[in-house]
Amino acid sequence: MRRIVLRSETDWDGWRQATRALVQAGAEPGTLTWAVSGDASPLPDAAGTFQVPRALMALASIAIQAREPERFGLLYSLVWRIGAGEKVLKDDTDPDLALVRRMALAVRADAHRMRTGLRYLPVAEDGGVRYLGWFEPAHFVLPANARLLARRYPKLRLSIVTPDGSAHWDGASLLFGDGLRHAADDEALQAWWDAHRDMVLDHASADVSVPEAEALDEAPRSPDRPAIGPVVLNEGADPDLRQAAREAGSCRRCPLYGPATQTVFGEGPAGARAMFVGEQPGDQEDTIGRPFVGPAGQLMDQAMEEAGIDRRMVYVTNAVKHFKFVARGRRRIHQTPEVPEIQACGFWLDVERTRIRPILTVAMGASAARAVLGRAVTIGRERGRPIRMADGRTVFVTVHPSYILRLPDRAAKDREYAALVGDLRLVRDLMDAG
Ligand code: URA
């Protein structure tokens, strides 16, 4: 038996290098054992090249993150069989392929759970803030996910701690270090971080082979479209509005500032023709500090893209600038804002509107419509058409993307999503015409 030793549970480069050399040397799958520690047999020299379908490598880059120890050998045997001329990928009944696909599905689901379920604890650091999160993944999804998050949030300092290890992003480099077996609550996590931070960061390493991260990103994007989240710019924003955003950071106009992490102000370029208004930041927006970067934001982005609206060209904000929630254990459950809270925050919405002067304001959902129109609105009755206001403004009401996310069945979701895209196409036409 030849013993192949990889450098880590997700040593994608090591697995590819070994696989290339072994397939070319004619090493049958049954003659190999794969491990991540212990003594290794030397690899044969690789000579020549052979083609592996791109689809198989994409699948393997996900499945290698599964926790099942047999995955390395299983993936090797698929490549080996393809090298021997078998049309493995064309045979949906192939049991090995089916197993690898199931592993990849489980990894994707786990990665998604991590990205949406991670809740960050802001910890003060060197005059800034580091967002610290603890998560227990079912699979080895930390490295690729951390790379994805680092790319998505280039300006944040993030540390994600799991029992398998931790990942640390400081806006420039991504390091991997020791993990923490269990964090009962935020206090325990903070205490561990306070006690171990320097040691973890001093020993953390960038020299870790990370599987392809893109394959985990389940929302396919066209190549010219930036990732959602922090890429949406405030660089081109009006300086007065930037000043207003700073002042809103210490807003005490209603009690919602108390439990929230931070004020989430609107963002978008000066001169935006349309202003999109949501209800209030959600859990992820509260953590990150930017509007519509969580699941509702992703749906909104997708619908905008389908309707031909470039999110980077519009101003996106909320009726209420603080996240209103009730805590249940480590989870924070969204609460609809009350009318007085919407009214108190109307001050900031007015500032945004006065500075941006959009030709069209799009209110998504009942709270936004109330904030923009100043009265109670039944969405079903008023959606989908321009509403001309006495002061010359044009308002357009549609549903909130979270409404679609909450619908229980696929058919209803599809129907309502198509209706939202239909509304946004009208918005695009109004923007073009105005
Ligand atoms: N829902 C909103 O209304 N706004 C956000 O920013 C996120 C979710």
Side-chain angles (χ1 to χ4, degrees):
M1 274 286 181
R2 185 181 253 145
R3 195 161 191 279
I4 317 303
V5 177
L6 301 178
R7 290 193 302 163
S8 73
E9 295 285 0
T10 54
D11 183 5
W12 175 236
D13 292 341
W15 177 83
R16 280 196 311 177
Q17 209 182 348
T19 296
R20 193 180 310 123
L22 291 162
V23 169
Q24 289 182 124
E28 300 224 6
T31 64
L32 307 174
T33 59
W34 297 78
V36 291
S37 62
D39 295 333
S41 315
L43 282 179
D45 287 334
T49 57
F50 65 98
Q51 290 284 321
V52 179
R54 202 187 267 259
L56 178 63
M57 292 314 272
L59 186 65
S61 72
I62 303 175
I64 199 169
Q65 299 167 59
R67 203 167 279 273
E68 284 81 1
E70 69 273 23
R71 66 196 181 283
F72 301 123
L74 192 61
L75 293 171
Y76 176 80
S77 105
L78 287 185
V79 177
W80 162 264
R81 287 169 54 201
I82 283 171
E86 279 189 54
K87 302 267 179 262
V88 179
L89 288 180
K90 297 231 153 59
D91 181 4
D92 280 337
T93 62
D94 186 277
D96 286 355
L97 181 64
L99 186 51
V100 167
R101 282 193 173 140
R102 273 203 301 281
M103 287 178 184
L105 264 182
V107 166
R108 267 182 197 282
D110 200 35
H112 181 78
R113 200 168 63 86
M114 180 166 180
R115 283 203 300 280
T116 53
L118 250 174
R119 194 162 90 54
Y120 298 98
L121 181 69
V123 291
E125 182 181 276
D126 304 336
V129 177
R130 177 179 291 273
Y131 294 99
L132 177 64
W134 184 84
F135 188 77
E136 186 162 13
H139 297 284
F140 297 111
V141 294
L142 176 68
N145 244 336
R147 179 178 275 183
L148 206 62
L149 288 169
R151 232 178 263 159
R152 197 170 276 180
Y153 303 127
K155 294 195 182 133
L156 287 188
R157 263 184 256 175
L158 285 175
S159 281
I160 303 169
V161 184
T162 77
D164 300 314
S166 55
H168 310 275
W169 169 244
D170 62 3
S173 53
L174 182 62
L175 304 177
F176 295 93
D178 286 344
L180 167 66
R181 191 180 293 275
H182 184 63
D185 52 25
D186 287 352
E187 285 75 44
L189 179 61
Q190 172 105 47
W192 177 81
W193 182 248
D194 291 345
H196 295 88
R197 177 192 177 280
D198 291 345
M199 199 185 65
V200 169
L201 292 183
D202 284 352
H203 289 95
S205 164
D207 182 25
V208 170
S209 157
V210 177
E212 312 266 337
E214 290 75 8
L216 280 179
D217 199 358
E218 76 279 26
R221 289 195 295 270
S222 57
D224 61 341
R225 184 166 162 246
I228 52 153
V231 191
V232 181
L233 342 147
N234 260 348
E235 285 78 34
D238 176 296
D240 287 348
L241 206 51
R242 282 215 296 258
Q243 175 60 22
R246 275 193 288 277
E247 286 167 16
S250 50
C251 180
R252 302 284 184 268
R253 285 171 185 271
C254 81
L256 293 186
Y257 72 88
T261 309
Q262 58 190 309
T263 306
V264 179
F265 209 71
E267 60 183 18
R273 292 170 75 75
M275 176 159 139
F276 282 71
V277 185
E279 181 190 81
Q280 58 165 335
D283 184 75
Q284 292 192 44
E285 288 78 12
D286 172 79
T287 303
I288 307 285
R290 311 188 82 148
F292 282 102
V293 294
Q298 293 181 27
L299 191 77
M300 183 188 81
D301 278 7
Q302 196 183 324
M304 277 188 179
E305 185 166 310
E306 259 184 66
I309 297 172
D310 186 340
R311 174 171 172 172
R312 293 167 297 179
M313 304 308 287
V314 301
Y315 189 84
V316 177
T317 190
N318 283 298
V320 171
K321 309 285 193 265
H322 281 114
F323 178 34
K324 181 176 180 184
F325 62 93
V326 284
R328 298 233 173 89
R330 292 172 68 86
R331 295 186 60 215
R332 302 189 299 170
I333 313 294
H334 160 275
Q335 300 274 286
T336 303
E338 304 290 340
V339 174
E341 290 153 354
I342 295 177
Q343 285 168 342
C345 225
F347 174 84
W348 296 115
L349 197 58
D350 272 349
V351 171
E352 290 174 298
R353 212 189 56 223
T354 314
R355 297 306 313 174
I356 296 288
R357 300 168 60 84
I359 58 163
L360 184 65
T361 303
V362 182
M364 296 181 289
S367 299
R370 173 178 277 283
V372 170
L373 294 173
R375 59 178 168 82
V377 173
T378 306
I379 301 295
R381 211 176 297 145
E382 306 206 30
R383 75 179 287 183
R385 60 185 164 79
I387 301 171
R388 312 278 177 204
M389 305 292 286
D391 61 5
R393 287 181 297 137
T394 303
V395 173
F396 188 99
V397 172
T398 187
V399 295
H400 192 285
S402 297
Y403 155 73
I404 299 173
L405 293 175
R406 280 197 303 269
L407 288 170
D409 66 280
R410 191 72 261 160
K413 274 193 203 305
D414 290 349
R415 194 179 57 240
E416 286 303 319
Y417 176 75
L420 172 63
V421 173
D423 280 356
L424 293 184
R425 289 204 173 105
L426 294 174
V427 166
R428 186 205 52 209
D429 293 346
L430 290 167
M431 284 167 68
D432 290 347

